[in-house]
Amino acid sequence: MARKTATSSDRAAPLDDDTAGSKSARTRQRLLDSAATVLARRGYAGTRLQDIAEEAHIQAPAIYYYYPSREDLIEEVMVAGASAMRAHMEKTQAELPADAHPAARIEAGVESHLRLELEISDYAKAITRNANQLPEHMTERVMAEVQAYYEIWRGLIDDLAAAHQLRADVNPSVARMLVLGALNWTAEWWHPERGPIEEVIATTKSMVLYALRP
């Protein structure tokens, strides 16, 4: 998903014909994109509807035409973010040769995660920064998508173990959560001024594989 969509504003009023429906869909998408941007920048607690409205170039009360509440809008962003991470990872893995070594697949997974959350998608950054801050009533749909992404990583580490390339003293489940925690945390500290993203990716690949392999 791209970070930005068109910034022209539309009125939030009932729309009946096909053209109006298209405008309504574009406005809804712009609200989602804007909410993702604000969440990625300010976090769950710091995200206000007014901030989202300003980012989307619409009046704040108009948001209620599209989403019943702030929580409903944020939940949609979180579900979209987790879904985007899963889809991006699946695409990355599918593009590798069928006989790719498990270590190469883990390297590709590291790059897929970091590029998506740091460079490509505010949705991905929003989910990695805020998934643990959501109130309980918002987590069911979000965590279903997050767990689907985690299952991909479970498979990657299990494949490494099956190839006898996982250290004997490493618990696969613990290793998976530590790797994902480190990948998610980069969204909290990395900025282009700290160095190119390629250096972050290369260093992370090296450290992850060094920690996992004998």
Side-chain angles (χ1 to χ4, degrees), residues 67-146:
Y67 296 96
S69 69
R70 169 183 177 270
E71 286 70 24
D72 286 292
L73 175 53
I74 290 175
E75 182 179 1
E76 286 301 314
V77 172
M78 295 293 99
V79 171
S83 177
M85 296 198 74
R86 175 183 52 76
H88 192 68
M89 174 69 99
E90 289 173 345
K91 180 176 182 293
T92 297
Q93 296 296 321
E95 290 172 348
L96 293 173
D99 61 349
H101 192 278
R105 291 193 174 277
I106 288 175
E107 282 190 316
V110 168
E111 180 159 0
S112 171
H113 189 112
L114 292 178
R115 284 205 183 276
L116 193 66
E117 76 169 344
L118 300 180
E119 187 177 57
I120 298 174
S121 173
D122 278 338
Y123 286 84
K125 191 172 185 179
I127 186 68
T128 57
R129 290 198 66 196
N130 298 290
N132 293 330
Q133 300 180 34
L134 301 180
E136 187 174 350
H137 70 274
M138 290 175 58
T139 59
E140 184 175 354
R141 289 178 60 212
V142 177
M143 293 312 297
E145 285 289 348
V146 170

Side-chain angles (χ1 to χ4, degrees), residues 140-161:
E140 184 175 354
R141 289 178 60 212
V142 177
M143 293 312 297
E145 285 289 348
V146 170
Q147 287 300 325
Y149 180 70
Y150 284 2
E151 284 302 310
I152 298 175
W153 275 98
R154 185 191 304 277
L156 294 178
I157 293 178
D158 285 349
D159 288 346
L160 192 70

Side-chain angles (χ1 to χ4, degrees), residues 15-24 26:
L15 303 169
D16 297 320
D17 58 55
D18 291 341
T19 300
S22 177
K23 288 181 179 179
S24 179
R26 288 197 300 270

